[in-house]
Amino acid sequence: MSEFLTIPALNGLSWLFHGFGTRHFSENDLRAAAAEYGAGPVQLRQIHSARVLVLDEAPAGLPEADAAATRRPGLALVVKTADCLPLFLIDAERRAVAAVHAGWRGTARRIAVEAVESMTRAFGTGPASLLAALGPCIGGGCYEVGEDVAAPFRRDSHFAALFAAIPARPGKYFFDLRAANRAQLETTGVLPSNILEAGGCTHCDSRLLSFRRDRRSNLRLFNFIGIRAD
Ligand SMILES: [Zn+2]
């Protein structure tokens, strides 16, 4: 397989580039892939927040945030994951994009909603015209969590659909991170048919990286999206 996954429907947008890296896609590969589109990587210091940066140019240093959005060509917005969900938003009408890092904490803080609202404020994006692309993350059947993870979602109307109690293990649940973000996007007005997916479970697929499986905190998958400058 190639070193990163793409979503066929997005490959048809000639102004856009994107990819969800596998474990064989290094930081050097990322730089090379971005350069093919006249772009340079923009990385964030990810802190499991709901903070969204709107960028007019490449930032100095490594800003603390878990999402970035731009309309500027030449910026490859990067989110790093190893079980968390990488999520891209694409406004094809206004040619704007966002990259989002959504782990359980960011999801509890509703970062997907924040990202959509940031694009609406900054670019006039209408959620009904947004495309969303969900990359590989840990699957619901592999993501056992405790009450600490479940508690922030208790008031979410989708709670029962997102957390499956494990009868033999009281206080433990299987959490569907992808479904949680899909539900949040739909609440903003993103159409279900415009929510696209690539890849499966980071924990099951040995081509990917899983913090839970690999137990090495320094390993990350590089996921990127941007507007071509070439
Ligand atoms: Zn799995």
Side-chain angles (χ1 to χ4, degrees):
M1 70 177 288
S2 62
E3 293 173 334
F4 55 83
L5 311 173
T6 62
I7 291 184
L10 299 184
N11 294 335
L13 299 174
S14 61
W15 56 277
L16 183 75
F17 63 91
H18 78 290
F20 298 105
T22 69
R23 68 185 306 146
H24 305 296
F25 187 67
S26 69
E27 197 162 356
N28 283 337
D29 294 331
L30 166 68
R31 268 190 287 275
E36 283 186 36
Y37 305 107
V42 172
Q43 297 206 40
L44 305 172
R45 182 182 299 282
Q46 298 174 183
I47 53 173
H48 296 282
S49 68
R51 178 146 189 241
V52 183
L53 282 186
V54 176
L55 296 172
D56 297 321
E57 57 185 14
L62 205 59
E64 286 192 348
D66 288 273
T70 195
R71 214 163 25 177
R72 166 90 177 250
L75 304 182
L77 307 179
V78 178
V79 290
K80 293 176 289 181
T81 54
D83 285 339
C84 294
L85 176 70
L87 161 60
F88 300 148
L89 299 171
I90 301 101
D91 179 347
E93 284 179 22
R94 290 163 188 78
R95 295 204 174 180
V97 296
V100 180
H101 162 248
W104 74 263
R105 290 183 184 84
T107 302
R109 292 169 178 145
R110 302 179 70 76
I111 190 167
V113 175
E114 292 292 332
V116 171
E117 291 177 350
S118 292
M119 291 183 77
T120 300
R121 280 195 299 272
F123 313 129
T125 295
S129 63
L130 264 182
L131 294 172
L134 311 188
C137 72
I138 191 164
C142 288
Y143 195 15
E144 184 179 321
V145 301
E147 195 55 45
D148 57 324
V149 174
F153 293 90
R154 286 271 175 210
R155 285 178 299 169
D156 190 312
S157 61
H158 301 94
F159 181 85
L162 305 179
F163 287 85
I166 305 173
R169 295 170 57 72
K172 298 291 185 184
Y173 307 84
F174 286 121
F175 175 42
D176 194 335
L177 179 64
R178 201 186 318 256
N181 281 276
R182 180 179 272 276
Q184 287 186 15
L185 289 171
E186 290 178 16
T187 64
T188 70
V190 176
L191 303 174
S193 58
N194 283 344
I195 303 176
L196 313 170
E197 294 189 8
C201 173
T202 47
H203 195 263
C204 291
D205 189 336
S206 60
R207 299 169 303 172
L208 303 172
L209 287 171
S210 167
F211 180 70
R212 290 205 164 200
R213 183 190 63 220
D214 302 313
R215 298 287 170 194
R216 284 178 57 189
S217 61
N218 59 332
L219 291 174
R220 291 292 183 272
L221 301 169
F222 292 99
N223 310 283
F224 62 95
I225 188 166
I227 300 165
R228 297 174 69 134
D230 58 351

